[in-house]
Amino acid sequence: MDDLKAKYLGQIAEAADESALEAIRLAAVGKKGEVALKMRELGKMTPEERQVAGPALNALKDEINSALAAKKAGLEDAALDERLRTEWLDVTLPSRPTRQGSLHPISQVQEEITAIFAEMGFSVAEGPRIDTDWYNFDALNIPGHHPARAEMDTFYMHRAEGDNRPPHVLRTHTSPVQIRAMEKMGAPLRIICPGGVYRADYDQTHTPMFHQVEGLALDKDISMANLKWVLEEFVKSFFEVDDVELRFRASHFPFTEPSAEVDIRCSWQDGTLKIGEGDDWMEILGSGMVHPKVIAAGGIDPEVYQGFAFGMGIDRIAMLKYGIPDLRAFFDSDLRWLRHYGFQSLDMPALHGGLSR
Ligand code: 2NL
């Protein structure tokens, strides 16, 4: 019996893994193991012998079982220690780079413009890109025979055969949104209308879809002086300069009277554009006092209310601010250029260092 004990405790101590341990368990204390065989021999013993051998066998069985359990726990600890030693992670390593999206420069500039006008009390109005010719033209004092209709290179929608109503159009400016806003909200009114507009024109400086922001302020005592201040504040804030001179040149639009095109003082030197200094002028927008017929078309009494309006191209001033030389880059499906201009990250190129002609 002592031989058995020594043999199995020795084997258990030597066991290298759990399968070796299981083999030992079966051989020692399994149903057909050596201890079970010995138990069977108890029947052939005298009662006196049995009284000694029985408890001794049971004690042996218990001892082997607890040695097995202890060894099993020891092997598991060792296995865990080994994993902890070999399978480690450096949690201080930087994570793998992920592709990050960013706002399209036109969306970003649109948001910048919106934020600046919002601070001056303008809210944003939006409307359909497909509209009737009444909202796009007639309401804006552009009648059917007016040459401005042809000049606008309008995209016309199809009408069903036999439907003789005038076709809907892709809006050529965001002005129809302003007419709708006048109808809906009345006066006084301070809104800007940013968004995509369409003209059938495509070359180096024109794309058939581009973006505009128009502004409209109506009240009982609004003058061109208010227009000038609002535009000055906008230009200073958008181009990040302390001061800038604006030049109002007399012009003509069917929807404003008087009308003015607005230039800002600038310089082009060594391929760098500087706003607010120098001897050059750059046209940035069209503006004027809203024509009384347009105010009336919006359902507001032009005898009581008057105001200013302006319109500018977002794409062009986005190019100026961020030094993007080719308009077509905006609509190219290959967005590598975007990264090239710094839009991959949130670091914007410095305005007066990043601009080039
Ligand atoms: C330009 C000129 C302009 C307007 C747009 C406008 C809208 C209403 C009434 C009166 Cl509802 N005017 N918009 C006025 C003057 C100029 O745009 O060159 N845009 C790029």
Side-chain angles (χ1 to χ4, degrees), residues 295-309:
I295 295 179
I300 294 169
D301 185 353
E303 296 292 335
V304 181
Y305 288 99
Q306 59 185 11
F308 64 74

Side-chain angles (χ1 to χ4, degrees), residues 2 14 36 47 55 68 87 93 136 163 179 186 191 195 210 217 265 268 284 288 315-316 324 332 352:
D2 284 344
E14 297 291 307
L68 283 167
E87 298 176 17
L93 280 176
N136 195 76
D163 185 341
I179 302 294
I191 52 167
F210 58 102
R265 187 181 283 283
W268 280 113
I284 57 156
D315 314 62
R316 209 175 80 87
I324 298 163
D332 201 317
H352 296 296

Side-chain angles (χ1 to χ4, degrees), residues 156-179:
Y156 291 92
M157 308 299 288
H158 281 293
R159 277 277 182 227
E161 195 82 43
D163 185 341
N164 294 321
R165 291 174 300 168
H168 280 72
V169 300
L170 294 185
R171 67 184 185 194
T172 58
H173 41 202
T174 56
S175 317
V177 181
Q178 290 177 296
I179 302 294

Side-chain angles (χ1 to χ4, degrees), residues 232 235-236 241-246 264-265 275-277:
E232 269 171 9
V235 169
K236 284 192 285 186
V241 291
D242 291 331
D243 213 2
V244 67
E245 210 178 328
L246 267 57
I264 53 179
R265 187 181 283 283
I275 306 289
E277 57 181 71

Side-chain angles (χ1 to χ4, degrees), residues 267-280:
S267 73
W268 280 113
Q269 243 163 31
D270 307 321
T272 297
L273 169 69
K274 287 195 171 139
I275 306 289
E277 57 181 71
D279 299 319
D280 288 334

Side-chain angles (χ1 to χ4, degrees), residues 140 175 178-179 182 212 214 253 255-256 286-287 290 294 309-312:
L140 289 150
S175 317
Q178 290 177 296
I179 302 294
M182 287 196 261
Q212 244 199 347
E214 290 202 18
F253 302 109
F255 24 85
T256 46
S287 65
V290 183
V294 176
F310 59 87
M312 72 183 136

Side-chain angles (χ1 to χ4, degrees), residues 42 44-54:
L42 290 175
K44 302 173 198 156
M45 291 179 184
T46 64
E48 291 76 24
E49 283 173 330
R50 202 181 304 143
Q51 226 153 43
V52 178

